[in-house]
Amino acid sequence: MRISSAFDSGNIEVVSAASADTIRLRIRKDNESEFFQWYHFKLFAKVDTKHVMVIENANESAYPKGWEHYYSFASYDREHWFRVPTSFDGKKVTITHTPEQETVFYAYFVPYSWERHLDLIQWAQQSAWVEQRCLGTTLDGREMNLLVIGEESPKKRKVWITARQHPGETMAEWFVEGLLEHLLNEDEPVSRQLLDQVVFYVVPNMNPDGSVRGHLRTNAVGVNLNREWAEPSLERSPEVFHVLKAMDAIGVDLYLDVHGDENLPYNFVAGSEGIPSYDERHARLENLFKDAYLRATAEFQTKYGYEVDAPGAANLTVASNAVAERFKCLAFTIEMPFKDNDDLPEPYQQWSDTRSRQFGRDTLKAILDVANDLR
Ligand SMILES: [Zn+2]
């Protein structure tokens, strides 16, 4: 049995793989960090034979509850991904699959490769509405890419969107891809209406190094970027440092930071209720956006989510809180599931790359609904 993960976003350690019915695996920790949960590997299999793959350190992962009712993704062609039977006994995750072909890829969620990221920004650049900028470099020397969409003008609202601070949350970049496809479609009325009033500043991948290294949550040196927004540094968190510097230079009227949540089988947002400057205007804007989001797509809901921070109790190292406070603007963390959206279950793929893209697309309608009220 051969298993490999020496490729973009690969992650697995093989304990033993002597026979198809006992393949023992462990997920590797993020470099210089205790976090792990993302896996992505290729198996050379025996066709039409049941393979039992056990992830032995699942209960030590960042979110053990994330394995409950979770089903692994698999793919033969690396384009079409499907779910396979997976179980969690409280300690180990067991993936059971009878491959129809001699090699199969498995992953925690549909991967979004660095090559695809590079394709995405070059594709976007072909639009007359888009300007690509480089904000700086990461610790591994990769570019921090920013797409500026729409003609800049002091009169227009400035909407910032960042994705994949946590690199294992690949649905976040699928979301951005769907949003961009729709926004850059010149035949699309929503996008024309939006670009009359709004300039978009989009960072499709906030954590290129962690993405390529196959990390769950951190950058090249094990830093959780979504806890760096109070005092980012070039040594620990250049990704945040460069983006925040650009935000300071440009301004922010709305900020959406896109993530995936390992546990909750729903789409939801987390607001800024606990920041020091939170007031009635901010609360009204948050409600306007959430109501618009509910109208825009049945994939969004407000019943399930994180506990709301008490007044003044916000963690100001978190991106959406830090930006909301710094720019006195509307800001949300958007969370999508790794499992399914239990409000609209789809048993074959569950939550997927396709649904993430559609959710990104529908987010534009919610932004349009609140654009006028942002300032
Ligand atoms: Zn996250």
Side-chain angles (χ1 to χ4, degrees):
M1 223 61 47
R2 173 184 286 275
I3 292 168
S4 63
S5 60
F7 44 75
D8 184 331
S9 80
N11 182 330
I12 206 68
E13 291 171 355
V14 180
V15 179
S16 69
S19 64
D21 58 359
T22 48
I23 297 168
R24 298 171 55 205
L25 306 170
R26 292 173 65 83
I27 302 174
R28 182 168 37 82
K29 289 176 182 174
D30 291 7
N31 185 44
E32 295 181 45
S33 158
E34 292 301 309
F35 288 114
F36 67 89
Q37 193 126 4
W38 171 264
Y39 61 89
H40 182 193
F41 60 91
K42 175 182 177 180
L43 169 74
F44 274 81
K46 286 193 190 110
V47 176
D48 295 334
T49 303
K50 185 164 106 173
H51 288 65
V52 181
M53 294 163 274
V54 180
I55 300 173
E56 297 191 332
N57 60 346
N59 62 326
E60 297 158 30
S61 67
Y63 305 96
K65 274 189 168 304
W67 302 115
E68 291 171 8
H69 311 292
Y70 165 78
Y71 294 86
S72 180
F73 268 110
S75 176
Y76 296 115
D77 61 5
R78 305 208 307 151
E79 286 204 4
H80 176 71
W81 291 78
F82 53 95
R83 303 272 189 170
V84 292
T86 307
S87 63
F88 179 54
D89 65 5
K91 280 189 91 170
K92 297 171 182 178
V93 162
T94 303
I95 302 168
T96 309
H97 185 216
T98 303
E100 295 166 9
Q101 298 180 18
E102 65 274 24
T103 70
V104 199
F105 281 79
Y106 299 93
Y108 187 37
F109 197 80
V110 180
Y112 199 104
S113 70
W114 183 243
E115 285 298 316
R116 191 177 183 104
H117 165 84
L118 295 175
D119 286 345
L120 176 71
I121 56 175
Q122 294 313 114
W123 166 81
Q125 186 184 278
Q126 305 313 306
S127 163
W129 295 336
V130 173
E131 183 193 331
Q132 181 185 151
R133 293 183 198 160
C134 176
L135 299 177
T137 51
T138 66
L139 295 169
D140 284 343
R142 291 190 179 86
E143 289 172 7
M144 289 301 298
N145 299 123
L146 171 71
L147 299 174
V148 181
I149 304 163
E151 201 173 326
E152 292 183 285
S153 147
K155 284 186 213 146
K156 289 186 179 173
R157 308 295 184 264
K158 297 166 175 73
V159 174
W160 282 79
I161 297 170
T162 62
R164 285 186 91 183
Q165 288 203 78
H166 298 143
E169 296 160 8
T170 54
M171 59 285 280
E173 198 161 3
W174 289 111
F175 172 107
V176 166
E177 186 177 298
L179 181 143
L180 289 175
E181 274 178 348
H182 208 56
L183 184 60
L184 302 185
N185 178 356
E186 295 179 20
D187 299 325
E188 183 50 63
V190 172
S191 94
R192 288 186 162 275
Q193 281 178 289
L194 265 171
L195 293 175
D196 279 345
Q197 310 171 48
V198 168
V199 182
F200 282 83
Y201 298 87
V202 181
V203 182
N205 188 331
M206 275 294 295
N207 195 338
D209 297 348
S211 302
V212 175
R213 285 168 174 258
H215 285 188
L216 174 74
R217 208 164 161 78
T218 68
N219 72 357
V221 293
V223 171
N224 177 356
L225 297 179
N226 204 24
R227 299 293 182 272
E228 288 289 304
W229 288 74
E231 267 181 274
S233 72
L234 287 172
E235 294 72 34
R236 282 171 55 85
S237 46
E239 301 89 343
V240 177
F241 181 93
H242 293 307
V243 170
L244 193 53
K245 198 172 140 200
M247 285 177 165
D248 279 341
I250 291 164
V252 186
D253 294 308
L254 167 63
Y255 175 45
L256 301 175
D257 183 33
V258 190
H259 288 253
D261 185 273
E262 289 78 0
N263 299 332
L264 288 172
Y266 298 101
N267 292 295
F268 57 97
V269 293
S272 322
E273 294 86 350
I275 63 171
S277 66
Y278 194 79
D279 58 10
E280 264 177 47
R281 170 190 166 266
H282 205 127
R284 187 181 60 83
L285 277 178
E286 284 191 348
N287 287 328
L288 272 181
F289 185 83
K290 284 191 263 189
D291 288 345
Y293 221 167
L294 287 168
R295 287 193 300 273
T297 170
E299 299 280 24
F300 179 70
Q301 57 80 48
T302 53
K303 189 174 169 192
Y304 302 97
Y306 298 144
E307 217 174 293
V308 172
D309 288 330
N315 182 343
L316 292 172
T317 68
V318 170
S320 57
N321 286 334
V323 171
E325 180 62 27
R326 195 178 186 99
F327 299 94
K328 306 290 180 279
C329 69
L330 183 61
F332 285 105
T333 305
I334 295 179
E335 298 281 355
M336 288 172 278
F338 278 83
K339 299 171 183 175
D340 201 351
N341 170 9
D342 278 4
D343 282 341
L344 282 175
E346 194 281 284
Y348 184 64
Q349 280 197 308
Q350 307 183 359
W351 192 253
S352 63
D353 50 340
T354 307
R355 289 171 82 184
S356 304
R357 286 161 62 146
Q358 287 166 348
F359 193 51
R361 174 196 72 192
D362 291 336
T363 303
L364 291 174
K365 296 186 212 162
I367 297 172
L368 178 62
D369 267 13
V370 300
N372 253 325
D373 296 287
L374 291 174
R375 245 188 242 165

